[in-house]
Amino acid sequence: MSNSSEFRTCPDTGLHIDRPAEKLMKANAVAAVVFLLVGGVMGLGVGLTRWPEVHLLGAQNFYTTLTGHGINVLIFWIIFFEIAVLYFCSSTVLRCRLAMPKVAWGGFALMIVGALMNNFAVWKLNSAVMMTSYAPMPAHWSFYLGLILFAVGALVGCFIFLGTLVIAQKEKTYEGSIPLVAFGALTACIIAVFTIVSGALVLLPTFLWQLGLISTIDPGVYRLIWWAFGHSSQQINVCAHVSIWYLVGTIMFGARPLSEKVSRFAFLLYIAVLQVASAHHLLVDPGVSAEWKMFNTSYAMYLAVMASMVHGLTVPGAMEAAQRARGYNNGLFEWLRKAPWGNPTFSSTMISLFGFGFLGGITGVMMGTEQLNLIIHNTIYVPGHFHATVVLGTTMAFMGITYWLVPILFRRELILMPLCKLQPYIFGLGMTGVSLFMMGAGTMGIPRRHWDATFADTSMPYEFAASAMSLMSLNGLSVVLAGLGGAMFCLLIVGSLLFGKKLGENEKCSYPLIVDAVTDEQYDALHKTTKNTIPGTMVLYTVFLLAFALYYFINWKYLAETWGLS
Amino acid sequence: MTSITPTGKRIWWNEPIEKGELIWIGIIVIWGIVLTVMMPAWHLYGEQNLSTETYRTTPAMYQEKTQKMVDQYTIRTEGTRQFPVVAPPVGSDVYLIARLWDWWPILELKEGQTYRLHLNSMDWNHGFSLQPVNLNIQVLPGYEHVINVTPNKTGEYSIICNEYCGIGHHNMVGKIHVIK
Ligand code: HEM
Ligand SMILES: [Cu+2]
Ligand SMILES: [Cu+2]
């Protein structure tokens, strides 16, 4: 290593941290949390408006706030955090200096400028077009330009990551293949590059169209390319949060993957099926053939689904095997009962795993089935589904790892530990309510992105079933809980950065940040006593599969009751 | 070797997979096949398959065809805004306009009969969402989508818009009557 003076060794974890990379990780993570706070407040405003008895915002304000909510949380919070994750998984995990830190700062600046410009367009330049900005509904040109600048900045981050992998290989900072976590991040990065190119394909023409340089945009083609971008960006999130699941297995339990081959192959599947998986957003669009829809969902999506199902088995499986090898080997679930439920990193990760699998995954397959989409498309079921994937799944995984990163990167201890312990449960419970109640209401037809489902000012009003409305009220209550949990997170993290107990460079944190890896001997001893090292996981997984199958066929039954279509 | 340590001399793609894990992967693959097969199977045996018949059109062309149908088959008007109620012959081409912020005109269809329902938008994206049966179809400008619908029960149905289409989005409600 040429400039080893740039490194410091973390006294708690033994990680080698490149200082320039560290500064960038901090900046990106802080920006992420700020956008989460801003976007989360908007989410609260949206949620309180959709609570029929409260109906907080006026119509115009509601649509503007909803646009801002979607973009700030789904794009800005998540991607800033992902850039930090990419730097961690390359530079820190591989003990390598970060490639071109100056350029990385340039990318960061572009992202900040883009994010601010886009928010300005939404709030001040009359661009309440929702994050999807479906043409031909126009936004101000700076709406698109802001997103383009942000995307270019993120692309720079991807290349810094790839550059760092190249340096690590050249300078031989590791031996053999890169670790699983870095491998997962690499798949995320490859998908990100594809995603950003699709984004450019769709945003550049709309930008030029708003400048008057292009006369028309085909609305169907727009949707096709937008979703090539919108869908694959969700695949980046999945790769990123699954990598974090594996990371947490290691830092909490010293676990090793059940099989590197299986896990890595599952990551590769995400890339293999990427290009075509966007059609499950177009299942009820005109001009898309049935064959294409079926090919696209089954070939592309179920392979991705299967990949996630494999991770959903191997992540808890690896934790179970490690716990058993450490001696928590009684009964089916001692390993789980004796897990560190009071550690916010662990509890967030488990809520992420279960929420993503049971709620997000099952419902995603449901909606992504060609015919079943007819009874779901654009109802509030859709936000119900993705608050399970992108909030319970991705956001909670990121929150969990943030608790872990604060002392490591910022050399500050967490403040108000009892509240930190509580926060994942409050946010998780609230968000579970948000997704379940929105899904319930959506099954009864309540539309998404809709200011007033009571139709008070309409000349031909429609009255939804009272039960649908009560589900929206329950959703409102859950929104308050989720808002509370989200606010707690942001305040606890920012508070820890400002007021947490300072740790010197070589001072250990007062609580452990990583456990020793389970040794080969421990694993061998476990294998001698039992053939099946993951019986508990298998029971949970069976419950999951049965729930999946039951729910899937119930929805076919619902479909059969609606009007005939041919 | 954990998830954050390099593989060292071991080569990951040569590692054996445990038998237990393989069985689960087998189950997952079988489930993936079931999910895939259900879709073509429903095309063969199910009764809700969205037609993909689509034509390019323009607002002017589509308006003209719709107007012609309205002129020919209007039976009465309804509501404070005097929307025409159109009862087209069984099996015929029925035109529905989506525009900021109406579904026009009101239709009267017969239970158990099949119609060729045309959907098209005059301006932006809209969402055809038929309640209370909860049938949802995306409506785009420039694309004339022809679907064959068979109402299965008499009653009054509402079409709400569930694709955001600007400030009047939540007021965009239309109607379909289904009679004996
Ligand atoms: C305090 C936490 C949150 C609350 C209370 C909340 C609530 C809501 C509600 C009620 C909707 C509107 C549904 C509609 O009318 O269509 C919505 C939309 C949405 N939310 Fe959240 N949410 C929260 C956090 C998040 C997070 C963390 C993310 C992403 C990581 C997220 C992503 C989205 C997206 C993408 C939309 C759709 C916007 C659109 O339709 O264009 N939300 N949220
Ligand atoms: Cu509309
Ligand atoms: Cu609308």
Side-chain angles (χ1 to χ4, degrees), chain B residues 98-101 103 125-127 161-165 169 172:
Chain B
R99 65 182 179 212
L100 304 171
W101 286 285
W103 298 99
N125 276 244
H126 294 283
C161 180
N162 70 3
E163 182 57 81
Y164 171 66
C165 55
H169 166 55
M172 180 165 166

Side-chain angles (χ1 to χ4, degrees), chain A residues 46-70:
Chain A
V46 169
L48 291 178
T49 308
R50 298 229 54 173
W51 187 349
E53 290 83 5
V54 177
H55 211 215
L56 180 69
L57 301 173
Q60 185 57 61
N61 248 335
F62 169 77
Y63 292 125
T64 304
T65 309
L66 182 54
T67 307
H69 170 60

Side-chain angles (χ1 to χ4, degrees), chain A residues 41 124-125 136 266 268 303 315 337 380 404 418 541 552:
Chain A
V41 171
K124 294 284 170 209
L125 301 173
L268 288 177
L303 288 182
V315 168
R337 273 201 319 276
I380 205 164
W404 184 71
Y541 208 71
Y552 180 71

Side-chain angles (χ1 to χ4, degrees), chain A residues 63 175 177 218 250 370 377, chain B residues 3 7 9 43 138 143 170:
Chain A
Y63 292 125
E175 197 187 0
S177 306
D218 184 287
T250 295
E370 190 205 341
H377 183 74
Chain B
S3 64
T7 56
K9 296 232 158 26
H43 275 277
Q138 187 81 20
Y143 290 77
H170 44 273

Side-chain angles (χ1 to χ4, degrees), chain A residues 39-378:
Chain A
V41 171
M42 296 178 194
L44 195 60
V46 169
L48 291 178
T49 308
R50 298 229 54 173
W51 187 349
E53 290 83 5
V54 177
H55 211 215
L56 180 69
L57 301 173
Q60 185 57 61
N61 248 335
F62 169 77
Y63 292 125
T64 304
T65 309
L66 182 54
T67 307
H69 170 60
I71 296 175
N72 280 299
V73 277
L74 187 68
I75 303 181
F76 302 152
W77 140 249
I78 298 243
I79 295 182
F80 270 116
F81 200 88
E82 276 164 354
I83 298 291
V85 170
L86 285 184
Y87 294 164
F88 181 86
C89 290
S90 51
S91 167
T92 311
V93 169
L94 297 178
R95 301 168 167 254
C96 176
R97 69 186 166 88
L98 192 77
M100 299 184 289
K102 288 220 174 80
V103 179
W105 280 108
F108 177 73
L110 273 179
M111 288 167 71
I112 293 280
V113 171
L116 294 179
M117 183 185 288
N118 177 273
N119 267 296
F120 189 80
V122 169
W123 288 95
K124 294 284 170 209
L125 301 173
N126 203 11
S127 297
V129 293
M130 303 296 144
M131 57 169 186
T132 42
S133 56
Y134 290 135
M137 179 190 279
H140 190 266
W141 56 263
S142 58
F143 176 95
Y144 311 106
L145 184 61
L147 291 179
I148 292 169
L149 293 181
F150 183 85
V152 173
L155 194 59
V156 169
C158 293
F159 285 116
I160 299 289
F161 169 83
L162 295 173
T164 307
L165 293 195
V166 172
I167 295 178
Q169 202 190 27
K170 272 215 187 113
E171 298 183 355
K172 300 210 166 41
T173 65
Y174 64 93
E175 197 187 0
S177 306
I178 57 175
L180 181 60
V181 166
F183 190 87
L186 174 60
T187 56
C189 176
I190 293 171
I191 297 172
V193 172
F194 169 82
T195 303
I196 293 170
V197 172
S198 311
L201 278 178
V202 78
L203 290 171
L204 271 179
T206 38
F207 170 58
L208 297 175
W209 166 63
Q210 274 313 297
L211 289 180
L213 298 175
I214 292 182
S215 59
T216 51
I217 303 264
D218 184 287
V221 174
Y222 178 94
R223 282 172 58 80
L224 177 75
I225 303 177
W226 199 91
W227 282 111
F229 153 75
H231 176 75
S232 47
S233 66
Q234 301 318 305
Q235 218 70 294
I236 311 175
N237 301 343
V238 175
C239 288
H241 76 229
V242 171
S243 299
I244 290 177
W245 292 349
Y246 282 111
L247 175 63
V248 170
T250 295
I251 60 187
M252 288 287 145
F253 302 106
R256 67 178 186 209
L258 292 181
S259 150
E260 291 273 345
K261 186 172 172 177
V262 169
S263 298
R264 286 178 196 237
F265 190 67
F267 273 121
L268 288 177
L269 273 184
Y270 288 131
I271 304 184
V273 298
L274 177 76
Q275 321 74 278
V276 282
S278 67
H280 65 247
H281 296 271
L282 313 177
L283 291 173
V284 295
D285 273 33
V288 187
S289 80
E291 291 79 10
W292 168 243
K293 291 175 194 166
M294 284 189 282
F295 166 77
N296 197 278
T297 45
S298 59
Y299 156 80
M301 211 181 69
Y302 301 146
L303 288 182
V305 167
M306 283 188 227
S308 294
M309 287 174 71
V310 168
H311 292 303
L313 176 74
T314 60
V315 168
M319 292 178 180
E320 176 171 4
Q323 282 282 74
R324 286 182 187 278
R326 283 174 182 281
Y328 299 116
N329 201 8
N330 291 323
L332 275 176
F333 293 117
E334 190 193 20
W335 64 277
L336 196 57
R337 273 201 319 276
K338 296 273 169 72
W341 291 101
N343 182 317
T345 301
F346 176 73
S347 55
S348 299
T349 303
M350 285 320 260
I351 297 173
S352 165
L353 185 67
F354 279 88
F356 184 77
F358 277 86
L359 297 182
I362 292 179
T363 58
V365 169
M366 237 290 298
M367 303 191 300
T369 302
E370 190 205 341
Q371 296 92 342
L372 293 179
N373 190 259
L374 282 163
I375 54 173
I376 296 298
H377 183 74
N378 271 354

